[in-house]
Amino acid sequence: MTQDELKALVGQAALAYVVPGELVGVGTGSTVNHFIDALATMTPRVAGAVSSSHASTARLHAHGIRVLEATEVQRLPVYVDGADEIDGHGFMIKGGGAALTREKIVADLADRFVCIADASKRVEVLGQFPLPVEVIAMAAHQLERRFAALGATATLRRRADGAVQLTDNGHPLLDVQGLRITDPLAMETEINQWPGVVTVGLFARHRASLCLLGTPEGVQTLVF
Ligand code: 5RP
């Protein structure tokens, strides 16, 4: 099976965790795109979705699914999203799609975080994937120096045309290479304290409750 077929498999499998007639939190990325397509086929349908990015909102709307603002909602039964890496405790690196801040906000509303990922995302120790950090622009160089003091290298993310990539919130992102994250909770707490950090793409406080992992043998359910 291709990686995309594995993503489609888990996108479909996540429907089992969505409550018909209720709201669902929707993440961002190529795996979530499969989930959104599957959600459109669900009967009875969900009452609506809270989306974590303009891209997911557009896809939900294209399927005729109602999208509510996070500010209109107090609680979601479930949030479904992908990950760039997930470890054996459900701790994740996220933000490869630049949606980390809104993803954490929507995840915070949810009772359960269902992570959907192909098997390549499952790692023993987080950090091989460059850690995304959304930052306030004027702090970028100071934050680069802070990461350098940890022995890591932070680089401003750029688009294919060379321009600095901005998130849906209008902020740049640093991608941090060279971290070996053995204590995700401690590192998330530490980086969150640095002035100018909007969101670190470590999801430790908002780790997955379960992960549907797409493998050539089928969907493996990891419960944390
Ligand atoms: C977006 C994310 C995505 O969940 C993560 O990048 C995985 O994406 P994909 O499903 O395309 O592999 O965190 O900000």
Side-chain angles (χ1 to χ4, degrees):
M1 278 174 113
T2 66
Q3 191 181 23
D4 194 56
E5 285 168 338
L6 295 177
K7 290 180 179 194
L9 194 68
V10 292
Q12 182 72 37
L15 289 188
Y17 297 88
V18 177
V19 190
E22 293 218 25
L23 299 173
V24 60
V26 175
T28 296
S30 55
T31 316
V32 165
N33 283 345
H34 286 294
F35 169 66
I36 294 173
D37 296 346
L39 196 60
T41 67
M42 193 172 139
T43 46
R45 296 188 80 145
V46 286
V50 177
S51 166
S52 60
S53 63
H54 296 328
S56 289
T57 298
R59 200 172 186 101
L60 287 158
H61 278 154
H63 283 302
I65 298 170
R66 181 174 167 233
V67 178
L68 289 90
E69 295 295 331
T71 47
E72 296 177 84
V73 172
Q74 287 183 23
R75 179 197 151 253
L76 294 166
V78 66
Y79 175 66
V80 179
D81 199 357
D84 298 303
E85 285 185 348
I86 182 162
D87 73 7
H89 302 281
F91 297 138
M92 296 169 285
I93 285 182
K94 292 186 43 55
L100 62 165
T101 298
R102 291 177 185 224
E103 290 173 341
K104 224 178 240 191
I105 291 168
V106 184
D108 192 51
L109 291 168
D111 295 342
R112 279 226 275 197
F113 188 135
V114 173
C115 176
I116 49 176
D118 66 87
S120 71
K121 308 294 183 65
R122 174 70 177 87
V123 299
E124 286 310 310
V125 178
L126 299 174
Q128 194 67 32
F129 188 92
L131 177 68
V133 186
E134 181 167 348
V135 303
I136 300 293
M138 69 180 282
H141 294 322
Q142 171 65 356
L143 291 168
E144 284 168 9
R145 287 186 286 271
R146 280 193 178 271
F147 281 112
L150 298 182
T153 307
T155 316
L156 264 187
R157 192 181 298 182
R158 293 186 181 274
R159 303 186 319 208
D161 65 3
V164 172
Q165 181 168 350
L166 300 179
T167 67
D168 285 355
N169 311 308
H171 300 127
L173 299 129
L174 295 174
D175 288 311
V176 186
Q177 276 178 306
L179 293 171
R180 192 168 183 278
I181 306 171
T182 51
D183 189 343
L185 270 168
M187 186 167 280
E188 184 182 28
T189 304
E190 166 71 14
I191 296 172
N192 273 337
Q193 310 304 318
W194 295 351
V197 168
V198 177
T199 302
V200 55
L202 257 177
F203 282 56
R205 286 192 156 60
H206 294 85
R207 68 179 177 149
S209 321
L210 65 93
C211 177
L212 302 174
L213 199 67
T215 78
E217 292 75 42
V219 178
Q220 227 181 303
T221 305
L222 314 174
V223 180
F224 304 109

